Amino acid sequence: MLSKYLLIRFKPSLRHYFDYWDSIKNNEYFSTEALMDLIKQLRIYKTPDLETPKYQILKRTATHEVRKYSPFVIVETQSDKLAGNTGLNDVAGYIFGKNSREEKIPMTTLVFTQAFDPEMSQMSIQIVLPSEKDINSLPDTNKENVSIRSVEGGFAAVLKFSGKPTEDIVREKEKLLRSSVLSEGLKPKDGCLLARYNDPGRTKSFMMQNEVLIWLEEFSLD
């Protein structure tokens, strides 16, 4: 999705209407920077054709997007690293039928790991549940360490990157995103999330799509 302040319009007259992109600095009539930015936006990632949390892109800069997320529901358990998989079998087991009703729940494409504090010492791993499932109608978990939780949604700054997400890479991306957000005068919340879209056992590393998200206190286009 191309984020712009103005829409390009061409009319059969001598007048021209120019567009200004918030993701680049050089907004001349033809800009190599603009061309490269367009190619970057059209980059193809291999992602499963499954449901993801719903969001609207409000702004796109050279480093990140600002999105408004609708509420969604997750199943989660404690984890130990942003790029780790500790606890994944427990939350995956819930949707595969290891719950109070032995009910299999349709898969979505997104696995989150979340750090809740600035030191990134408190972690959880999460699977997003289908939007058709109301939290009150979901089966209970079979394990005390697995829980169901509603996420209220809201504004988030999001940095996309491809490749295998190692712990060092994820933390580097988080620092870059937080620095960019602060430089714009926005107020990021503590912690962050790593969103992983692909099964690492079935996807070549260069085709993997990953995102680092930081929730924002507020956001306005004004």
Side-chain angles (χ1 to χ4, degrees):
M1 180 176 181
L2 305 183
S3 172
K4 304 177 180 180
Y5 285 131
L6 300 173
L7 180 67
I8 298 178
R9 299 182 184 275
F10 295 99
K11 293 186 178 181
S13 69
L14 295 178
R15 297 178 63 187
H16 293 83
Y17 294 78
F18 293 100
D19 170 44
Y20 291 90
W21 294 14
D22 50 346
S23 57
I24 63 175
K25 296 180 179 179
N26 185 356
N27 273 284
E28 295 179 358
Y29 180 73
F30 180 83
S31 165
T32 302
E33 184 185 6
L35 177 60
M36 296 305 296
D37 185 73
L38 178 60
I39 292 172
K40 181 179 178 181
Q41 292 184 62
L42 297 177
R43 183 185 301 168
I44 297 174
Y45 296 98
K46 182 178 177 61
T47 56
D49 188 20
L50 298 171
E51 182 181 357
T52 61
K54 294 179 173 61
Y55 63 83
Q56 178 185 8
I57 299 176
L58 302 180
K59 183 179 180 181
R60 200 179 64 81
T61 74
T63 57
H64 64 271
E65 295 175 349
V66 175
R67 301 174 182 172
K68 183 177 182 180
Y69 277 88
S70 300
F72 55 93
V73 179
I74 59 171
V75 55
E76 70 176 336
T77 191
Q78 187 174 355
S79 193
D80 56 358
K81 294 181 180 180
L82 276 172
N85 291 314
T86 300
L88 181 58
N89 287 340
D90 289 336
V91 291
Y94 174 84
I95 67 172
F96 292 148
K98 294 181 179 180
N99 53 60
S100 62
R101 296 201 296 261
E102 297 185 351
E103 177 185 339
K104 292 186 177 180
I105 297 171
M107 290 183 64
T108 62
T109 190
L110 198 56
V111 173
F112 279 129
T113 41
Q114 181 170 8
F116 295 93
D117 60 323
E119 294 75 24
M120 299 191 185
S121 61
Q122 302 174 26
M123 302 271 189
S124 80
I125 190 165
Q126 312 160 358
I127 291 180
V128 178
L129 299 177
S131 58
E132 65 187 31
K133 296 290 185 180
D134 180 84
I135 190 169
N136 296 316
S137 66
L138 286 165
D140 294 331
T141 65
N142 282 346
K143 295 189 174 184
E144 292 184 358
N145 65 322
V146 178
S147 59
I148 309 297
R149 177 166 64 90
S150 291
V151 179
E152 65 181 11
F155 301 110
V158 182
L159 185 153
K160 298 180 181 180
F161 67 101
S162 60
K164 185 177 181 179
T166 66
E167 194 73 11
D168 287 343
I169 290 174
V170 175
R171 289 180 181 245
E172 178 185 335
K173 299 296 184 183
E174 187 275 339
K175 289 179 181 178
L176 173 60
L177 178 58
R178 188 171 295 276
S179 175
S180 298
V181 167
L182 289 169
S183 70
E184 292 183 10
L186 301 176
K187 296 180 180 179
K189 295 184 179 181
D190 289 340
C192 69
L193 296 96
L194 169 66
R196 288 176 281 185
Y197 286 81
N198 308 99
D199 180 347
R202 299 182 180 181
T203 311
K204 293 181 179 180
S205 60
F206 72 91
M207 294 290 287
M208 290 180 180
Q209 178 182 349
N210 314 290
E211 295 172 344
V212 171
L213 295 82
I214 296 178
W215 292 112
L216 303 175
E217 294 288 351
E218 58 186 12
F219 178 77
S220 174
L221 285 173
D222 296 337

